[in-house]
Amino acid sequence: MNIVKVQLKNGERLPMLLDSQGLPVVAVNEWILTRRNRSLNTLNNYVQELTPLYVWLESRGEDLFELIRSGRFWTEAFTSSLIEYLRRGQRKGKKIVKLAVRPDTFNKRLSTVLRFLNWCFYAVLSDQELGEARREAISKVQEKVSYTLNDGYHSKEPSNNEVKKGLTVMQARFLQDVLDPESTMLVSSPQTKLRNYLIVTLMLLLGLRPGEVLSLRLCDVEFGALTNVRVRRRRLCAEDTRSCPASVKRAGRILVLDYPRLEKLLNSYAMKAREIAVRRASGKTNSFFFLSRDGKPLSESSVQAIFKRVRRAYPGKLPGNLSAKSLRHTFTDGVHRELKFQGRSEDEIRAILMYLRGDTGRESQDTYIDYQGQSEEAQRSYWLKVAGSRGADDVPV
Protein backbone atom coordinates (compact mmCIF):
# COMPACT_ATOMS: atom_id res chain seq x y z
CA MET A 1 0.00 0.00 0.00
CA ASN A 2 1.20 3.48 -0.86
CA ILE A 3 -0.17 7.01 -0.42
CA VAL A 4 0.41 9.66 -3.09
CA LYS A 5 -0.73 13.29 -3.30
CA VAL A 6 -2.55 14.45 -6.40
CA GLN A 7 -2.58 18.15 -7.30
CA LEU A 8 -5.48 19.48 -9.38
CA LYS A 9 -5.21 22.41 -11.80
CA ASN A 10 -6.89 24.77 -9.32
CA GLY A 11 -4.18 24.02 -6.73
CA GLU A 12 -6.30 21.64 -4.64
CA ARG A 13 -4.42 18.61 -3.33
CA LEU A 14 -5.90 15.25 -2.41
CA PRO A 15 -4.27 12.07 -1.04
CA MET A 16 -4.80 8.84 -2.98
CA LEU A 17 -4.34 5.29 -1.69
CA LEU A 18 -2.71 2.81 -4.09
CA ASP A 19 -2.73 -0.95 -3.61
CA SER A 20 0.28 -3.27 -3.81
CA GLN A 21 0.05 -3.26 -7.63
CA GLY A 22 0.04 0.54 -7.82
CA LEU A 23 -3.67 0.81 -8.69
CA PRO A 24 -6.05 3.23 -6.89
CA VAL A 25 -8.17 1.77 -4.09
CA VAL A 26 -11.49 3.07 -5.43
CA ALA A 27 -13.63 2.90 -2.27
CA VAL A 28 -11.15 4.80 -0.07
CA ASN A 29 -10.49 7.47 -2.69
CA GLU A 30 -14.22 7.96 -3.32
CA TRP A 31 -14.82 8.27 0.44
CA ILE A 32 -12.04 10.89 0.62
CA LEU A 33 -13.68 12.86 -2.21
CA THR A 34 -16.90 13.11 -0.16
CA ARG A 35 -14.83 14.82 2.55
CA ARG A 36 -12.70 17.10 0.37
CA ASN A 37 -13.84 20.14 2.37
CA ARG A 38 -11.43 19.00 5.12
CA SER A 39 -7.78 20.07 5.22
CA LEU A 40 -5.12 18.10 3.33
CA ASN A 41 -3.49 16.95 6.57
CA THR A 42 -6.83 15.65 7.89
CA LEU A 43 -7.53 13.76 4.65
CA ASN A 44 -4.01 12.34 4.66
CA ASN A 45 -4.54 11.12 8.24
CA TYR A 46 -7.77 9.41 7.17
CA VAL A 47 -5.97 7.53 4.39
CA GLN A 48 -3.15 6.50 6.74
CA GLU A 49 -5.70 5.23 9.27
CA LEU A 50 -7.51 3.20 6.60
CA THR A 51 -4.33 1.63 5.19
CA PRO A 52 -4.11 -1.10 7.90
CA LEU A 53 -7.69 -2.15 7.03
CA TYR A 54 -6.76 -2.84 3.41
CA VAL A 55 -3.47 -4.52 4.33
CA TRP A 56 -5.49 -6.81 6.62
CA LEU A 57 -8.09 -7.51 3.88
CA GLU A 58 -5.34 -8.21 1.34
CA SER A 59 -3.61 -10.65 3.69
CA ARG A 60 -6.89 -12.59 3.94
CA GLY A 61 -7.66 -12.42 0.22
CA GLU A 62 -10.92 -10.57 0.85
CA ASP A 63 -12.62 -7.94 -1.32
CA LEU A 64 -14.47 -5.57 0.99
CA PHE A 65 -17.53 -4.88 -1.17
CA GLU A 66 -17.89 -8.53 -2.21
CA LEU A 67 -17.71 -9.47 1.46
CA ILE A 68 -20.48 -6.99 2.32
CA ARG A 69 -22.70 -7.91 -0.66
CA SER A 70 -22.50 -11.60 0.19
CA GLY A 71 -24.31 -10.98 3.47
CA ARG A 72 -21.91 -13.44 5.05
CA PHE A 73 -21.88 -13.18 8.83
CA TRP A 74 -18.70 -11.62 10.27
CA THR A 75 -17.85 -13.79 13.23
CA GLU A 76 -16.57 -12.15 16.39
CA ALA A 77 -13.19 -13.77 15.79
CA PHE A 78 -13.08 -12.22 12.28
CA THR A 79 -13.85 -8.71 13.52
CA SER A 80 -11.58 -9.10 16.56
CA SER A 81 -8.77 -10.02 14.17
CA LEU A 82 -9.25 -6.64 12.45
CA ILE A 83 -9.21 -4.83 15.81
CA GLU A 84 -6.00 -6.60 16.78
CA TYR A 85 -4.38 -5.69 13.45
CA LEU A 86 -5.28 -2.02 13.94
CA ARG A 87 -3.29 -2.09 17.20
CA ARG A 88 -0.09 -3.06 15.41
CA GLY A 89 2.54 -0.69 14.10
CA GLN A 90 2.79 -0.59 10.32
CA ARG A 91 6.14 -1.56 8.85
CA LYS A 92 7.62 0.82 6.27
CA GLY A 93 10.32 -0.96 4.28
CA LYS A 94 13.10 -2.18 6.56
CA LYS A 95 12.31 0.33 9.27
CA ILE A 96 11.75 -1.22 12.71
CA VAL A 97 8.35 -0.37 14.17
CA LYS A 98 6.81 -0.80 17.60
CA LEU A 99 4.75 -3.90 18.24
CA ALA A 100 1.71 -1.82 19.24
CA VAL A 101 0.69 1.78 18.62
CA ARG A 102 -0.38 4.20 21.35
CA PRO A 103 -4.00 3.97 22.56
CA ASP A 104 -4.85 7.38 21.07
CA THR A 105 -3.47 6.31 17.67
CA PHE A 106 -5.43 3.06 17.83
CA ASN A 107 -8.65 4.89 18.75
CA LYS A 108 -8.24 7.23 15.77
CA ARG A 109 -7.71 4.28 13.44
CA LEU A 110 -10.70 2.45 14.83
CA SER A 111 -12.94 5.54 14.57
CA THR A 112 -12.00 6.17 10.93
CA VAL A 113 -12.36 2.49 9.99
CA LEU A 114 -15.79 2.36 11.64
CA ARG A 115 -17.04 5.43 9.75
CA PHE A 116 -15.64 4.11 6.48
CA LEU A 117 -17.16 0.62 6.93
CA ASN A 118 -20.57 2.12 7.74
CA TRP A 119 -20.29 4.21 4.55
CA CYS A 120 -19.47 1.04 2.57
CA PHE A 121 -22.44 -0.81 4.09
CA TYR A 122 -24.80 2.07 3.24
CA ALA A 123 -23.42 2.20 -0.31
CA VAL A 124 -24.27 -1.50 -0.75
CA LEU A 125 -27.67 -1.20 0.94
CA SER A 126 -28.64 1.64 -1.44
CA ASP A 127 -28.49 -0.78 -4.39
CA GLN A 128 -32.07 -1.10 -5.67
CA GLU A 129 -31.42 -4.59 -7.06
CA LEU A 130 -30.91 -6.07 -3.60
CA GLY A 131 -33.71 -8.30 -2.40
CA GLU A 132 -35.45 -7.60 0.89
CA ALA A 133 -34.02 -10.72 2.53
CA ARG A 134 -30.45 -9.87 1.46
CA ARG A 135 -30.84 -6.25 2.59
CA GLU A 136 -32.05 -7.36 6.03
CA ALA A 137 -29.15 -9.83 6.36
CA ILE A 138 -26.59 -7.14 5.44
CA SER A 139 -28.16 -4.71 7.93
CA LYS A 140 -27.80 -7.26 10.72
CA VAL A 141 -24.15 -7.82 9.80
CA GLN A 142 -23.58 -4.04 9.90
CA GLU A 143 -25.13 -3.77 13.37
CA LYS A 144 -22.96 -6.62 14.66
CA VAL A 145 -19.75 -5.21 13.14
CA SER A 146 -20.48 -1.71 14.49
CA TYR A 147 -21.17 -3.08 17.96
CA THR A 148 -17.96 -5.14 18.04
CA LEU A 149 -15.79 -2.27 16.76
CA ASN A 150 -17.36 0.23 19.18
CA ASP A 151 -16.57 -2.17 21.99
CA GLY A 152 -12.89 -2.21 21.04
CA TYR A 153 -11.94 1.36 21.99
CA HIS A 154 -9.10 1.85 24.48
CA SER A 155 -9.54 4.15 27.44
CA LYS A 156 -7.63 7.42 27.04
CA GLU A 157 -4.08 7.68 28.30
CA PRO A 158 -3.65 9.77 31.46
CA SER A 159 -2.21 13.19 30.69
CA ASN A 160 1.27 14.03 31.94
CA ASN A 161 0.46 16.84 34.34
CA GLU A 162 4.09 17.19 35.39
CA VAL A 163 5.00 18.62 31.97
CA LYS A 164 3.85 22.23 31.63
CA LYS A 165 2.63 22.77 28.09
CA GLY A 166 2.78 26.57 28.04
CA LEU A 167 5.46 29.11 28.92
CA THR A 168 5.81 31.15 32.07
CA VAL A 169 5.80 34.94 31.72
CA MET A 170 9.58 35.04 32.12
CA GLN A 171 10.09 32.32 29.50
CA ALA A 172 7.78 34.11 27.05
CA ARG A 173 9.72 37.36 27.50
CA PHE A 174 13.05 35.60 27.14
CA LEU A 175 11.90 33.94 23.90
CA GLN A 176 11.03 37.35 22.48
CA ASP A 177 14.38 38.75 23.65
CA VAL A 178 16.23 35.94 21.85
CA LEU A 179 14.39 36.45 18.55
CA ASP A 180 14.18 40.25 18.67
CA PRO A 181 15.61 41.73 15.42
CA GLU A 182 17.78 44.09 17.48
CA SER A 183 19.17 41.27 19.63
CA THR A 184 22.53 39.57 19.09
CA MET A 185 21.59 36.39 20.98
CA LEU A 186 21.06 34.45 17.72
CA VAL A 187 23.03 35.02 14.53
CA SER A 188 20.96 35.31 11.32
CA SER A 189 20.50 37.69 8.43
CA PRO A 190 18.48 40.83 9.34
CA GLN A 191 15.59 39.76 7.07
CA THR A 192 15.38 36.26 8.56
CA LYS A 193 15.58 37.57 12.15
CA LEU A 194 12.77 40.03 11.53
CA ARG A 195 10.56 37.44 9.84
CA ASN A 196 11.08 34.82 12.57
CA TYR A 197 10.43 37.35 15.33
CA LEU A 198 7.16 38.44 13.69
CA ILE A 199 5.95 34.87 13.19
CA VAL A 200 6.61 33.84 16.81
CA THR A 201 5.21 37.09 18.24
CA LEU A 202 1.98 36.83 16.23
CA MET A 203 1.46 33.29 17.54
CA LEU A 204 2.27 34.34 21.10
CA LEU A 205 0.19 37.55 21.22
CA LEU A 206 -2.73 36.61 18.96
CA GLY A 207 -2.91 32.85 19.54
CA LEU A 208 -2.52 32.04 15.85
CA ARG A 209 -1.76 28.52 14.68
CA PRO A 210 1.23 27.95 12.36
CA GLY A 211 -1.15 27.25 9.46
CA GLU A 212 -2.97 30.53 10.10
CA VAL A 213 0.25 32.56 10.16
CA LEU A 214 1.57 30.90 7.01
CA SER A 215 -1.78 31.42 5.22
CA LEU A 216 -1.70 35.19 5.72
CA ARG A 217 -1.70 37.27 2.51
CA LEU A 218 -0.51 40.85 2.14
CA CYS A 219 -4.12 42.06 2.11
CA ASP A 220 -4.83 40.30 5.43
CA VAL A 221 -2.62 42.68 7.42
CA GLU A 222 -4.48 46.02 7.36
CA PHE A 223 -2.33 48.89 8.62
CA GLY A 224 -4.01 51.96 10.10
CA ALA A 225 -4.72 53.72 13.38
CA LEU A 226 -5.33 50.20 14.68
CA THR A 227 -3.75 47.39 12.69
CA ASN A 228 -6.06 44.45 11.95
CA VAL A 229 -4.96 40.91 11.18
CA ARG A 230 -7.61 39.01 9.23
CA VAL A 231 -7.65 35.23 9.51
CA ARG A 232 -9.52 33.89 6.47
CA ARG A 233 -10.51 30.42 5.34
CA ARG A 234 -9.55 29.93 1.70
CA ARG A 235 -9.42 27.11 -0.78
CA LEU A 236 -5.97 25.93 -1.82
CA CYS A 237 -4.61 27.93 -4.74
CA ALA A 238 -2.21 27.12 -7.56
CA GLU A 239 0.35 29.70 -6.38
CA ASP A 240 0.87 27.74 -3.15
CA THR A 241 3.71 25.45 -4.25
CA ARG A 242 4.36 23.88 -0.83
CA SER A 243 4.15 20.08 -0.64
CA CYS A 244 2.08 20.48 2.56
CA PRO A 245 0.12 23.73 2.04
CA ALA A 246 -0.83 25.74 5.10
CA SER A 247 -4.53 26.04 5.82
CA VAL A 248 -6.95 27.68 8.24
CA LYS A 249 -9.01 24.95 9.90
CA ARG A 250 -11.02 27.06 12.33
CA ALA A 251 -13.38 30.00 11.96
CA GLY A 252 -12.17 33.21 10.34
CA ARG A 253 -11.86 36.31 12.51
CA ILE A 254 -10.49 39.85 12.69
CA LEU A 255 -7.87 40.40 15.41
CA VAL A 256 -6.86 43.90 16.50
CA LEU A 257 -3.12 44.43 16.99
CA ASP A 258 -2.70 47.46 19.26
CA TYR A 259 1.06 47.07 19.68
CA PRO A 260 2.94 50.01 18.06
CA ARG A 261 6.40 48.45 17.79
CA LEU A 262 5.08 45.21 16.33
CA GLU A 263 2.97 47.18 13.84
CA LYS A 264 6.06 49.11 12.70
CA LEU A 265 8.07 45.91 12.32
CA LEU A 266 5.25 44.26 10.31
CA ASN A 267 5.17 47.28 8.01
CA SER A 268 8.97 47.26 7.70
CA TYR A 269 8.95 43.57 6.79
CA ALA A 270 6.19 44.03 4.19
CA MET A 271 7.89 47.02 2.56
CA LYS A 272 11.57 46.00 2.73
CA ALA A 273 12.53 42.49 3.91
CA ARG A 274 9.72 40.78 2.02
CA GLU A 275 10.54 42.70 -1.17
CA ILE A 276 14.14 41.42 -0.99
CA ALA A 277 12.80 37.85 -0.93
CA VAL A 278 10.42 38.62 -3.82
CA ARG A 279 13.30 39.87 -5.98
CA ARG A 280 15.10 36.57 -5.42
CA ALA A 281 12.11 34.68 -6.84
CA SER A 282 13.06 35.60 -10.44
CA GLY A 283 9.77 37.28 -11.24
CA LYS A 284 7.56 34.58 -9.68
CA THR A 285 5.40 36.64 -7.35
CA ASN A 286 2.80 35.48 -4.84
CA SER A 287 0.58 37.19 -2.31
CA PHE A 288 1.67 35.32 0.84
CA PHE A 289 2.89 37.56 3.65
CA PHE A 290 5.73 35.42 5.02
CA LEU A 291 8.21 34.15 2.44
CA SER A 292 11.37 32.06 2.46
CA ARG A 293 14.70 33.54 1.40
CA ASP A 294 14.05 32.53 -2.23
CA GLY A 295 10.64 34.20 -2.34
CA LYS A 296 8.48 31.08 -1.98
CA PRO A 297 5.68 30.65 0.60
CA LEU A 298 7.28 29.68 3.91
CA SER A 299 6.79 26.05 4.96
CA GLU A 300 5.65 24.83 8.37
CA SER A 301 8.90 22.88 8.80
CA SER A 302 10.76 26.22 8.61
CA VAL A 303 8.61 27.51 11.49
CA GLN A 304 9.31 24.42 13.58
CA ALA A 305 13.02 24.89 12.86
CA ILE A 306 12.86 28.27 14.66
CA PHE A 307 11.84 26.57 17.91
CA LYS A 308 14.33 23.75 17.43
CA ARG A 309 17.19 26.23 17.07
CA VAL A 310 16.14 28.26 20.11
CA ARG A 311 15.73 25.13 22.26
CA ARG A 312 19.24 23.99 21.40
CA ALA A 313 20.77 27.43 21.98
CA TYR A 314 19.16 27.99 25.41
CA PRO A 315 18.28 24.60 26.96
CA GLY A 316 18.32 25.96 30.51
CA LYS A 317 16.26 29.05 29.82
CA LEU A 318 13.49 27.54 27.70
CA PRO A 319 11.55 24.25 28.10
CA GLY A 320 12.59 21.20 26.10
CA ASN A 321 9.05 20.84 24.69
CA LEU A 322 8.99 24.38 23.27
CA SER A 323 6.99 24.42 20.03
CA ALA A 324 4.38 26.44 18.17
CA LYS A 325 1.71 24.70 20.22
CA SER A 326 3.40 25.89 23.43
CA LEU A 327 2.64 29.47 22.36
CA ARG A 328 -1.01 28.58 21.84
CA HIS A 329 -1.18 27.10 25.32
CA THR A 330 0.50 30.24 26.69
CA PHE A 331 -1.95 32.54 24.90
CA THR A 332 -5.10 30.64 25.91
CA ASP A 333 -4.10 30.15 29.54
CA GLY A 334 -2.83 33.73 29.89
CA VAL A 335 -5.97 35.33 28.43
CA HIS A 336 -8.15 33.02 30.55
CA ARG A 337 -6.35 34.14 33.72
CA GLU A 338 -6.61 37.81 32.72
CA LEU A 339 -10.35 37.57 32.05
CA LYS A 340 -10.90 35.84 35.39
CA PHE A 341 -8.93 38.61 37.10
CA GLN A 342 -11.26 41.15 35.43
CA GLY A 343 -14.20 39.41 37.09
CA ARG A 344 -15.77 38.06 33.88
CA SER A 345 -18.26 35.22 34.16
CA GLU A 346 -17.28 31.77 32.90
CA ASP A 347 -19.70 32.06 29.98
CA GLU A 348 -18.19 35.40 28.95
CA ILE A 349 -14.67 33.99 29.20
CA ARG A 350 -15.50 31.02 27.01
CA ALA A 351 -17.27 33.19 24.43
CA ILE A 352 -14.30 35.58 24.21
CA LEU A 353 -11.78 32.75 23.92
CA MET A 354 -13.92 31.08 21.26
CA TYR A 355 -13.72 34.21 19.11
CA LEU A 356 -10.01 34.87 19.68
CA ARG A 357 -9.07 31.25 18.94
CA GLY A 358 -11.57 30.71 16.13
CA ASP A 359 -13.21 27.78 17.94
CA THR A 360 -16.64 26.45 17.04
CA GLY A 361 -17.06 24.47 20.27
CA ARG A 362 -16.55 25.74 23.81
CA GLU A 363 -14.80 22.57 24.93
CA SER A 364 -11.99 23.05 22.35
CA GLN A 365 -10.09 25.42 24.62
CA ASP A 366 -10.14 23.21 27.74
CA THR A 367 -6.95 21.31 26.87
CA TYR A 368 -5.07 24.63 26.47
CA ILE A 369 -5.94 26.05 29.90
CA ASP A 370 -3.70 25.14 32.83
CA TYR A 371 -6.50 24.29 35.25
CA GLN A 372 -4.04 22.37 37.44
CA GLY A 373 -1.78 25.43 37.85
CA GLN A 374 -4.75 27.70 38.51
CA SER A 375 -6.17 25.29 41.09
CA GLU A 376 -2.81 25.15 42.88
CA GLU A 377 -2.69 28.95 43.07
CA ALA A 378 -6.23 29.08 44.46
CA GLN A 379 -5.39 26.34 46.94
CA ARG A 380 -2.29 28.18 48.18
CA SER A 381 -4.33 31.36 48.60
CA TYR A 382 -6.91 29.38 50.59
CA TRP A 383 -4.19 27.87 52.80
CA LEU A 384 -2.76 31.31 53.60
CA LYS A 385 -6.18 32.56 54.67
CA VAL A 386 -7.01 29.50 56.78
CA ALA A 387 -3.62 28.48 58.20
CA GLY A 388 -1.74 31.75 58.03
CA SER A 389 2.04 31.35 58.27
CA ARG A 390 1.91 27.96 60.03
CA GLY A 391 3.14 26.17 56.88
CA ALA A 392 6.34 28.26 56.53
CA ASP A 393 9.71 26.47 56.63
CA ASP A 394 10.97 28.40 59.66
CA VAL A 395 8.00 27.56 61.88
CA PRO A 396 9.10 24.94 64.52
CA VAL A 397 7.06 21.75 64.69
Side-chain angles (χ1 to χ4, degrees):
M1 294 290 171
N2 188 29
I3 302 173
V4 297
K5 291 178 183 176
V6 179
Q7 182 172 348
L8 307 182
K9 289 183 179 180
N10 64 355
E12 185 178 4
R13 294 167 176 80
L14 292 170
M16 178 182 290
L17 181 64
L18 307 180
D19 62 18
S20 56
Q21 298 179 345
L23 299 174
V25 180
V26 178
V28 172
N29 298 324
E30 187 176 344
W31 186 73
I32 290 296
L33 281 173
T34 64
R35 285 155 176 78
R36 62 192 298 179
N37 61 312
R38 310 290 176 86
S39 71
L40 176 61
N41 288 338
T42 300
L43 296 178
N44 195 57
N45 289 339
Y46 286 161
V47 177
Q48 289 178 348
E49 288 155 5
L50 289 175
T51 300
L53 167 65
Y54 273 86
V55 174
W56 176 76
L57 287 168
E58 196 173 73
S59 68
R60 289 176 164 268
E62 297 280 4
D63 180 274
L64 180 58
F65 273 84
E66 288 301 321
L67 180 62
I68 294 174
R69 287 193 190 95
S70 69
R72 195 169 78 225
F73 183 70
W74 295 26
T75 63
E76 188 171 344
F78 186 80
T79 313
S80 297
S81 170
L82 169 60
I83 294 174
E84 185 59 35
Y85 196 83
L86 294 177
R87 288 196 181 99
R88 299 181 188 175
Q90 297 299 302
R91 180 179 294 276
K92 294 182 180 179
K94 297 181 179 180
K95 189 175 180 180
I96 299 175
V97 295
K98 293 181 179 179
L99 182 62
V101 296
R102 294 175 56 188
D104 286 348
T105 303
F106 166 74
N107 287 341
K108 288 177 182 177
R109 284 183 181 178
L110 189 59
S111 177
T112 304
V113 166
L114 180 56
R115 281 181 288 164
F116 173 70
L117 286 178
N118 280 329
W119 179 83
C120 293
F121 272 103
Y122 291 135
V124 172
L125 289 170
S126 64
D127 186 355
Q128 298 297 321
E129 296 182 1
L130 276 182
E132 191 63 34
R134 178 70 63 82
R135 183 175 282 106
E136 186 175 342
I138 293 174
S139 295
K140 288 182 178 179
V141 173
Q142 181 185 9
E143 290 177 8
K144 181 65 176 176
V145 171
S146 296
Y147 176 81
T148 306
L149 291 179
N150 272 314
D151 199 42
Y153 282 102
H154 275 307
S155 57
K156 290 186 178 180
E157 292 179 300
S159 59
N160 188 358
N161 292 325
E162 296 180 0
V163 179
K164 186 173 176 61
K165 297 178 180 178
L167 304 179
T168 64
V169 173
M170 295 303 294
Q171 288 172 338
R173 289 178 178 176
F174 181 77
L175 176 62
Q176 293 174 81
D177 291 340
V178 171
L179 295 172
D180 193 286
E182 297 179 2
S183 169
T184 57
M185 299 173 75
L186 279 182
V187 179
S188 289
S189 68
Q191 295 82 16
T192 301
K193 287 180 71 174
L194 176 58
R195 183 199 66 196
N196 292 350
Y197 173 77
L198 292 174
I199 289 172
V200 170
T201 308
L202 286 176
M203 288 193 286
L204 180 63
L205 299 186
L206 298 183
L208 298 180
R209 299 170 178 82
E212 293 172 341
V213 173
L214 298 178
S215 296
L216 289 175
R217 309 298 209 270
L218 273 172
C219 61
D220 294 335
V221 183
E222 302 172 345
F223 297 101
L226 285 178
T227 298
N228 292 327
V229 176
R230 289 180 178 265
V231 180
R232 305 173 192 257
R233 297 194 65 170
R234 294 182 172 96
R235 295 185 66 85
L236 294 176
C237 61
E239 70 174 355
D240 192 345
T241 56
R242 292 171 286 200
S243 58
C244 294
S247 61
V248 177
K249 295 183 178 181
R250 300 297 179 95
R253 54 209 186 273
I254 302 174
L255 302 173
V256 177
L257 186 61
D258 189 9
Y259 196 128
R261 182 169 184 261
L262 186 56
E263 294 173 62
K264 290 179 181 178
L265 291 176
L266 278 169
N267 186 61
S268 175
Y269 174 80
M271 299 299 293
K272 298 176 183 178
R274 185 184 179 280
E275 287 303 310
I276 294 175
V278 169
R279 286 197 291 270
R280 293 197 185 107
S282 303
K284 295 180 180 179
T285 60
N286 63 72
S287 60
F288 288 94
F289 193 86
F290 291 109
L291 304 178
S292 62
R293 286 177 56 84
D294 55 1
K296 296 179 181 178
L298 195 67
S299 66
E300 188 166 343
S301 60
S302 298
V303 175
Q304 300 301 341
I306 300 172
F307 299 100
K308 185 176 181 181
R309 187 183 179 196
V310 174
R311 287 198 308 265
R312 287 181 173 179
Y314 297 96
K317 297 283 188 177
L318 294 168
N321 62 341
L322 175 66
S323 64
K325 199 165 188 179
S326 302
L327 305 188
R328 193 155 175 77
H329 280 281
T330 306
F331 171 82
T332 306
D333 187 51
V335 173
H336 182 267
R337 290 171 184 266
E338 190 61 34
L339 292 172
K340 284 189 71 174
F341 180 76
Q342 292 176 9
R344 304 269 188 164
S345 67
E346 197 61 34
D347 285 341
E348 283 182 304
I349 292 174
R350 285 185 175 272
I352 292 170
L353 284 175
M354 276 182 66
Y355 177 78
L356 293 176
R357 289 166 39 89
D359 293 335
T360 53
R362 296 197 170 194
E363 67 282 353
S364 301
Q365 58 208 237
D366 286 346
T367 57
Y368 290 87
I369 298 173
D370 185 12
Y371 288 113
Q372 181 184 6
Q374 294 188 28
S375 64
E376 288 174 358
E377 290 175 11
Q379 199 172 30
R380 279 194 293 269
S381 178
Y382 166 73
W383 289 343
L384 285 172
K385 291 179 181 178
V386 173
S389 59
R390 291 178 178 82
D393 293 336
D394 58 349
V395 175
V397 178

